[in-house]
Amino acid sequence: MIPVRGYAGHKVAILGLGRSGLAAARALLVGRATPICWDDGAEGRARAEAEGFELVDLTRPGAYDGVAALIVSPGIPHLYPQPNRAIAAAWDAGIPVDNDIGLFFASLGTSDWMSFDQPPRVIAVTGSNGKSTTSALIHHILRHAGRPAQLAGNIGRGVLDIDPPENGEVIVLELSSYQTDLARALTPDISVFTNLTPDHLDRHGGLGGYFAAKRRLFAEGAPDRAVIGVDEAEGRFLANQMSQGPGDDRVIRISSGQKLGGPGWSVFARKGFLSEYRKARQMASIDLRDIRGLPGAHNHQNACAAYAATRALGLSPKTIEAAFHDFAGLPHRSQLIAEANGVAYVNDSKATNADSAAQALRAFGRIRWIAGGLGKDGGIASLADALGNVTKAYLIGHSAREFALQLGDTPHQISETMEQAVADAMAEAEPGDTVLLAPAAASFDQYPDFEKRGEHFTAEVQARLGS
């Protein structure tokens, strides 16, 4: 655990008592602060009460008397679409509002680091798509190379729940826009921006607010190195803002699909090959085509980001390439779960929006596509150009009929449930086909989260294959 510093002897309020909120309460207690806790849900309050934390309704008058700060869990809106009442009350009382990410960066360094030969480093990864795989891949490469490393944030453990880092250790953080938006301290050594596509727009008041939340990881902390995907205008803008000139190698530009030139440092993937260029010279090349844990152009972008981040730490191209080959991928993200009778079964339940589904649809050949759930604005209309590999679609959930209307001439049927969709797709699949779950929708109509949806797909496939 990382003890929170700077609040010893003070009361600190915690709003939201899920994983990050309870971890913050524990870390504050270890740092000799007095946490007072609140959650709008009875279940969260019960968890805190079971651990002996004091409960205080933060919306009541006088709740912030003597309180030094309010720490907010990432799922709670603090501005759009409207502020939570407890947060608005903190503003009115003049109480500083922060989150666990801010506490982490403000508390990580200690005097013990003076005795280290190599101080610990922090790599923070954000972006719309691919940040979980990129974070996990960076962590995997480091462990493969024998470097001590921990994975935390939006993946793995809560940031305050990790072990105090040892000599030379690297902490890899996946950070969502919800986490970067509110943190008062953001000081990673290396920041990574994968890409930007519309998501969480209601939470950030539009695409500009969403990008601004991501940009804070770079603008607020001034990292030593910035790895930035430049396949969208926002990434090119960010890379330009972070750079002092064409040859400034503190910025490493990455791309999937386009060759990057110039005198600076760049890493890009084209036609299945990753290339590193520096000062207009090619430094390394890796064939990504046969790496099973990184299929498709979207995963090649993830590979470029992870490669750039670990190269910035001094790892060799050969070491990184060897780690790529034994990376198994993450559950629910283009995860190959079975192969039988010439048919591959891939679980990409994490494809909860149209853009991420498009990446999966372009990664495989003849696809029998299971899609649907609780559709987002626009449904799958934007996928028209990505349907070329779809042999047939099997639609499930709340938005099945809406999706059907948007599929045009693409063969499809409404299967309603996962059980029926898997049964239908398997019955019709032929050797060379891929049965792909890439829902392009949220899961909340039928499942508590995308993980449960992916687990159900996997169980149905395995049950029918007898494995």
Side-chain angles (χ1 to χ4, degrees), residues 7-362:
Y7 292 104
H10 296 278
K11 286 198 299 184
V12 178
I14 309 289
L15 179 63
L17 299 171
R19 183 187 69 165
S20 65
L22 285 175
R26 297 181 198 113
L28 282 159
L29 194 62
V30 173
R32 295 185 292 113
T34 301
I36 61 172
C37 301
W38 188 251
D39 193 296
D40 291 336
E43 185 178 344
R45 296 196 296 271
R47 285 194 296 266
E49 196 168 33
E51 293 194 31
F53 291 116
E54 179 184 0
L55 295 176
V56 175
D57 185 346
L58 297 174
T59 65
R60 291 184 176 178
Y64 289 106
D65 291 350
V67 170
L70 170 64
I71 308 304
V72 178
S73 292
I76 299 174
H78 62 272
L79 188 55
Y80 303 112
Q82 61 184 20
N84 180 280
R85 290 190 305 148
I87 296 174
W91 294 346
D92 293 341
I95 303 300
V97 180
D98 202 349
N99 64 11
D100 63 325
I101 305 301
L103 294 181
F104 168 83
F105 279 111
S107 304
L108 183 62
T110 69
S111 58
D112 296 338
W113 289 20
M114 298 297 291
S115 63
F116 288 165
D117 295 327
Q118 298 181 22
R121 309 287 293 279
V122 178
I123 300 176
V125 181
T126 195
S128 296
N129 299 308
K131 57 185 178 293
S132 294
T133 297
T134 298
S135 301
L137 182 56
I138 292 170
H139 180 256
H140 172 78
I141 293 167
L142 292 167
R143 298 297 295 269
H144 185 276
R147 293 283 296 270
Q150 297 185 70
L151 181 63
N154 207 40
I155 185 174
R157 300 161 71 180
V159 292
L160 293 170
D161 199 35
I162 67 170
D163 300 324
E166 60 184 75
N167 182 54
E169 187 162 14
V170 181
I171 298 168
V172 185
L173 302 181
E174 179 198 340
L175 299 181
S176 72
S177 59
Y178 292 1
Q179 293 169 306
T180 58
D181 198 18
L182 195 58
R184 285 178 167 247
L186 284 168
T187 54
D189 299 282
I190 300 172
S191 294
V192 179
F193 175 84
T194 59
N195 50 57
L196 193 87
T197 58
D199 207 359
H200 308 305
L201 301 189
D202 59 336
R203 175 68 181 266
H204 296 291
L207 185 60
Y210 177 50
F211 175 55
K214 301 286 189 186
R215 181 180 173 275
R216 291 190 77 246
L217 184 60
F218 299 81
E220 299 293 324
D224 296 334
R225 279 256 159 69
V227 176
I228 301 175
V230 294
D231 289 333
E232 295 89 30
E234 291 86 356
R236 294 193 294 275
F237 168 80
L238 180 59
N240 181 269
Q241 285 210 314
M242 297 299 294
S243 174
Q244 296 300 313
D248 186 355
D249 66 3
R250 293 174 302 172
V251 177
I252 308 176
R253 293 169 172 83
I254 64 167
S255 172
S256 175
Q258 61 175 316
K259 181 177 180 178
L260 301 178
W265 195 350
S266 62
V267 180
F268 59 88
R270 291 183 72 225
K271 299 180 180 179
F273 286 86
L274 180 152
S275 298
E276 177 190 3
Y277 275 75
R278 198 167 184 180
K279 297 181 179 178
R281 295 179 56 192
Q282 185 169 5
M283 308 298 293
S285 178
I286 298 174
D287 187 348
L288 301 173
R289 293 173 297 176
D290 295 328
I291 298 177
R292 298 298 297 272
L294 296 167
H298 60 308
N299 275 310
H300 293 176
Q301 183 185 55
N302 299 335
C304 289
Y307 178 96
T310 49
R311 283 287 282 144
L313 288 176
L315 273 63
S316 72
K318 287 187 177 180
T319 297
I320 299 169
E321 181 177 7
F324 280 173
H325 280 280
D326 63 9
F327 179 65
L330 287 179
H332 316 298
R333 297 162 176 86
S334 295
Q335 177 192 14
L336 178 66
I337 58 171
E339 289 181 288
N341 303 317
V343 179
Y345 297 88
V346 175
N347 166 22
D348 201 352
S349 183
K350 184 62 170 65
T352 58
N353 58 45
D355 184 75
S356 54
Q359 302 289 353
L361 292 173
R362 294 186 178 110

Side-chain angles (χ1 to χ4, degrees), residues 185 412 440:
H412 61 272

